[in-house]
Amino acid sequence: MTLYEELKARGLVAQITDEEIIDLINNGKATFYIGFDCTADSLTAGHFLALTLMKRLQLAGNKPIALIGGGTTMIGDPSGRTDMRKMLTKDDIAHNAACFKKQMEKFIDFSEGKALMLNNADWLLDLNYVELLREVGACFSVNNMLRAECYKQRMEKGLSFLEFNYMIMQSYDFYYMFQHYGCNMQFGGDDQWSNMLGGTELIRRKLGKDAYAMTVTLLTDSQGKKMGKTAGNAVWLDPNKTSPFEFYQYWRNVGDADVMKCIRMLTFLPLEQIDEMSTWQDQRLNEAKEILAYEMTSMVHGKEEAEKAQNAARALFSGNAMDTEHMPSTQLTEADLTDGAIGILTLMVKAGLAASNGEARRLVVQGGVLADGEKVAAPTVSFTAEQLAKGIVIKKGKKIYHKVTL
């Protein structure tokens, strides 16, 4: 099986600009890039698909360029957004970029020129606006840009002129790296298709040469929602933001309808093994979820942490909630208490078990919340400082445990 055939079999290929791509990646002749805007100080589970794709391509002899968006982050990608992204300072962006680099090195081999890590701030921030308009602006049709998929959601509430420039900046990245680094291909999520076509067209119009783009299927659940968030929060690759146990639990708790798709798209397990697993049903689906969670946690945090998380999770699933060593936990302070106590709704929000008081209230009313093994009787239940000092284990639903201490 060729690399392209494997990518297709894993459900990763969404769109390609040209059949030439197949020969390039199969023969290890692609110098390709994927961009990562540094909007936070850690990559998320949402970036995981891109990182594993880069690894697959590199293992086949292709050369990855991990492009840190130090420049494009100052504009903000409007793709898939209904509101404008938070504006970050240059210092914030530089800090986030440094954090990204450390995490990427776990997946991509940057030794001996096997891969490059670049920052588009190095060329975008020095551009002269009038010169850019003359050199690049004339190559873009406003009519075509307004029809682009990446702008559709933002058009409903109002697209700022700042964001409107994002496509031009991303296209310029490809144009610049094509000339200076021999980058002949761009990969990205399927929501980036319009931006990526802008880059290939700019190269064709300015240089008279061909460059290529391929989009990857977005990782969504069976309801069509992007995966990688829990209780309204991102699942981070940084262990200080999402512990290895919480990371493991996220993948252990994916829906029955999603587990095999995740294994196929995200892990490096052989396709033959995955095909055999795809026949599993009922209780064996839980075994598949354990395999997914272990493989994902091992790739991000190492085998030792994956084994710890798996052992802790098995202890909890068996009903033994006393082993709290690796359980996700939240430590409150006196400032979190009111008159020496804290209500269950506030506690759940602070612990990340619910995105809001309203969501926490629904869970309690539905009988889905236990504290130290006892069902929480009402949304008005509160816990004293003395109780919290000993530590309280909150159980949400059938599988989620969280320890809260003071």
Side-chain angles (χ1 to χ4, degrees):
M1 182 179 286
T2 65
L3 172 62
Y4 185 77
E5 287 170 341
E6 181 178 353
L7 296 180
K8 289 279 285 186
R10 288 185 180 275
L12 293 170
V13 180
Q15 302 180 77
I16 62 173
T17 54
D18 198 289
E19 295 290 324
E20 288 286 328
I21 286 175
I22 299 172
D23 289 333
L24 283 171
I25 65 172
N26 283 344
N27 296 313
K29 294 180 179 178
T31 296
F32 69 95
Y33 93 92
I34 297 180
F36 300 82
D37 276 354
C38 19
T39 52
D41 59 1
S42 171
L43 294 165
T44 70
H47 294 110
F48 195 86
L49 191 61
L51 294 171
T52 53
L53 176 64
M54 295 178 90
K55 184 173 182 177
R56 292 184 206 278
L57 289 160
Q58 186 180 47
L59 289 171
N62 299 287
K63 184 175 181 179
I65 298 175
L67 181 65
I68 304 295
T72 41
T73 304
M74 298 190 72
I75 297 172
D77 183 4
S79 302
R81 301 280 297 193
T82 57
D83 58 350
M84 188 169 163
R85 293 181 187 272
K86 178 184 175 184
M87 298 284 282
L88 300 176
T89 67
K90 287 185 180 180
D91 287 344
D92 289 337
I93 292 169
H95 170 72
N96 293 348
C99 295
F100 277 22
K101 287 182 181 180
K102 292 179 182 176
Q103 293 176 342
M104 287 179 180
E105 287 169 351
K106 293 182 179 180
F107 297 87
I108 304 162
D109 181 3
F110 289 97
S111 66
E112 302 171 2
K114 293 177 183 176
L116 292 173
M117 187 173 289
L118 304 175
N119 189 328
N120 62 19
D122 294 341
W123 54 83
L124 291 182
L125 299 189
D126 291 333
L127 289 173
N128 177 287
Y129 187 58
V130 174
E131 289 179 5
L132 178 70
L133 287 177
R134 287 176 62 86
E135 182 182 2
V136 177
C139 298
F140 286 82
S141 161
V142 171
N143 297 43
N144 289 338
M145 291 174 73
L146 289 174
R147 286 193 291 267
E149 190 68 31
C150 59
Y151 291 141
K152 278 190 177 178
Q153 281 187 281
R154 293 291 291 114
M155 291 290 285
E156 294 175 11
K157 290 193 174 182
L159 177 72
S160 72
F161 184 69
L162 175 70
E163 296 168 292
F164 188 62
N165 281 270
Y166 190 88
M167 183 187 292
I168 295 175
M169 295 294 99
Q170 183 171 327
S171 300
Y172 188 88
D173 283 342
F174 199 178
Y175 170 63
Y176 183 91
M177 289 186 291
F178 184 93
Q179 294 178 89
H180 294 85
Y181 297 97
C183 180
N184 55 10
M185 194 176 300
Q186 180 183 179
F187 288 83
D190 204 31
D191 55 351
Q192 293 293 315
W193 183 240
S194 300
N195 289 333
M196 294 162 71
L197 289 180
T200 60
E201 179 65 10
L202 180 61
I203 291 166
R204 187 189 65 79
R205 294 188 63 170
K206 294 294 293 181
L207 304 174
K209 296 181 179 180
D210 292 326
Y212 310 100
M214 182 183 117
T215 58
V216 183
T217 309
L218 296 176
L219 185 64
T220 57
D221 63 19
S222 51
Q223 278 76 49
K225 295 179 181 178
K226 279 188 179 181
M227 298 185 70
K229 291 182 181 292
T230 178
N233 300 310
V235 178
W236 304 97
L237 303 192
D238 182 344
N240 295 314
K241 294 169 77 74
T242 298
S243 72
F245 180 85
E246 290 172 298
F247 188 84
Y248 179 96
Q249 284 287 78
Y250 175 81
W251 299 106
R252 173 62 180 80
N253 292 333
V254 299
D256 290 356
D258 302 316
V259 58
M260 291 314 304
K261 178 173 71 172
C262 289
I263 289 176
R264 195 175 294 275
M265 294 177 73
L266 298 174
T267 76
F268 285 81
L269 294 176
L271 284 167
E272 295 81 3
Q273 180 181 349
I274 296 172
D275 289 339
E276 192 274 326
M277 290 170 63
S278 65
T279 63
W280 293 359
Q281 295 179 357
D282 303 325
Q283 285 302 313
R284 293 215 76 186
L285 282 176
N286 287 329
E287 184 182 341
K289 291 177 187 181
E290 280 199 340
I291 291 171
L292 170 65
Y294 180 86
E295 291 293 323
M296 295 291 288
T297 309
S298 180
M299 282 189 277
V300 175
H301 299 297
K303 289 186 177 181
E304 184 179 347
E305 290 295 338
E307 287 169 7
K308 286 181 184 178
Q310 186 171 72
N311 291 335
R314 284 175 174 172
L316 293 174
F317 286 167
S318 69
N320 176 20
M322 301 307 292
D323 177 12
T324 61
E325 181 183 357
H326 303 296
M327 188 184 296
S329 62
T330 297
Q331 185 161 17
L332 303 176
T333 66
E334 294 288 346
D336 294 315
L337 308 184
T338 301
D339 296 328
I342 186 171
I344 182 61
L345 305 186
T346 304
L347 186 150
M348 288 182 67
V349 172
K350 287 187 178 294
L353 293 169
S356 65
N357 280 3
E359 181 185 331
R361 180 184 296 276
R362 284 192 297 275
L363 289 166
V364 171
V365 170
Q366 291 166 3
V369 180
L370 279 70
D372 285 342
E374 298 291 331
K375 186 176 290 186
V376 176
T380 53
V381 167
S382 62
F383 301 94
T384 65
E386 184 179 358
Q387 289 173 297
L388 291 164
K390 298 175 182 176
I392 296 172
V393 174
I394 304 294
K395 182 183 179 185
K396 170 187 164 185
K398 294 180 178 180
K399 302 175 182 177
I400 299 174
Y401 292 82
H402 198 101
K403 185 178 180 181
V404 184
T405 57
L406 181 66

